[in-house]
Amino acid sequence: MSTGAISIVVVVAVVLAAALVIRVVRAGASRKERALRRRFGPEYELTVAQHAGDAKAAQRELDERLRMYGDVKTQPLSGELRERYVAEWAGAQEMFIESPERAVAGADQLLARLARDRGYPSDGYEEQVAALSVHHADHVQGYRQIHDAAVRAGQGQADTEELREAVVHARPFFEALVRPPHHSATARPETTRQYHGGRQHSRLHRWLPGTGTGPGAGHTRLGHTRKGGAW
């Protein structure tokens, strides 16, 4: 075989090897992307958008969150503490009628305490959200929304409709954190009986999703604003 032919064979071999390496790398990147998409769901797309469409930068950030918070050991709430949080959330919703700003600020603080009691970091909001995004990717955006609304309300920059929407969007996050262990999103929550005037009530039965009877059964009761619009 001539020197020229040998050179051609070597070049072809190098090109084929490089193509194989690129294919393997791309396959690995594709698997990584699929894994992150499955883990983070809507949080993946949100992070990509925050990085102006740079998927690799978003993946690096999500990988870092997994490394730092993937092993967070969460703690279940006691029945008494769960009932207390449910009552507080109901109170915040009722307060909205008289003072939307106070209601949203109170709900934001409630969620921070609830996350802390479940075992998530409590040194700062950003760290807490990052940890929550790993374990509650489907709902953590609701926490961000109500926190941002509370900040804007404190600056006098949020209207009532914005605040109402913040509470509505934060509700699934609250429900996910307060739900008893081993209960799916559609499972019937635990109930605690209370008696008022001879009639039994259950705060969890009333305020958590998928419960209740009569019109609107299967949906969380949220009350009404002054204008009469349902939450």
Side-chain angles (χ1 to χ4, degrees), residues 105-194:
D108 176 42
Q109 294 166 10
L110 181 157
L111 292 174
R113 286 188 287 110
L114 175 56
R116 178 201 64 199
D117 288 343
R118 287 298 313 277
Y120 292 99
S122 58
D123 291 339
Y125 167 75
E126 294 297 340
E127 182 184 13
Q128 191 177 65
V129 168
L132 286 163
S133 73
V134 175
H135 299 273
H136 293 280
D138 288 340
H139 304 304
V140 70
Q141 184 60 15
Y143 183 25
R144 292 191 184 101
Q145 186 168 344
I146 200 168
H147 180 78
D148 291 345
V151 172
R152 284 173 50 78
Q155 298 169 345
Q157 297 176 352
D159 60 29
T160 301
E161 180 60 19
E162 177 184 346
L163 298 177
R164 185 193 69 82
E165 289 183 359
V167 175
V168 171
H169 292 154
R171 186 191 68 210
F173 175 72
F174 168 77
E175 291 168 347
L177 285 188
V178 83
R179 187 175 298 118
H182 312 303
H183 281 58
S184 68
T186 57
R188 188 180 185 87
E190 294 177 352
T191 58
T192 301
R193 299 293 184 182
Q194 293 189 333

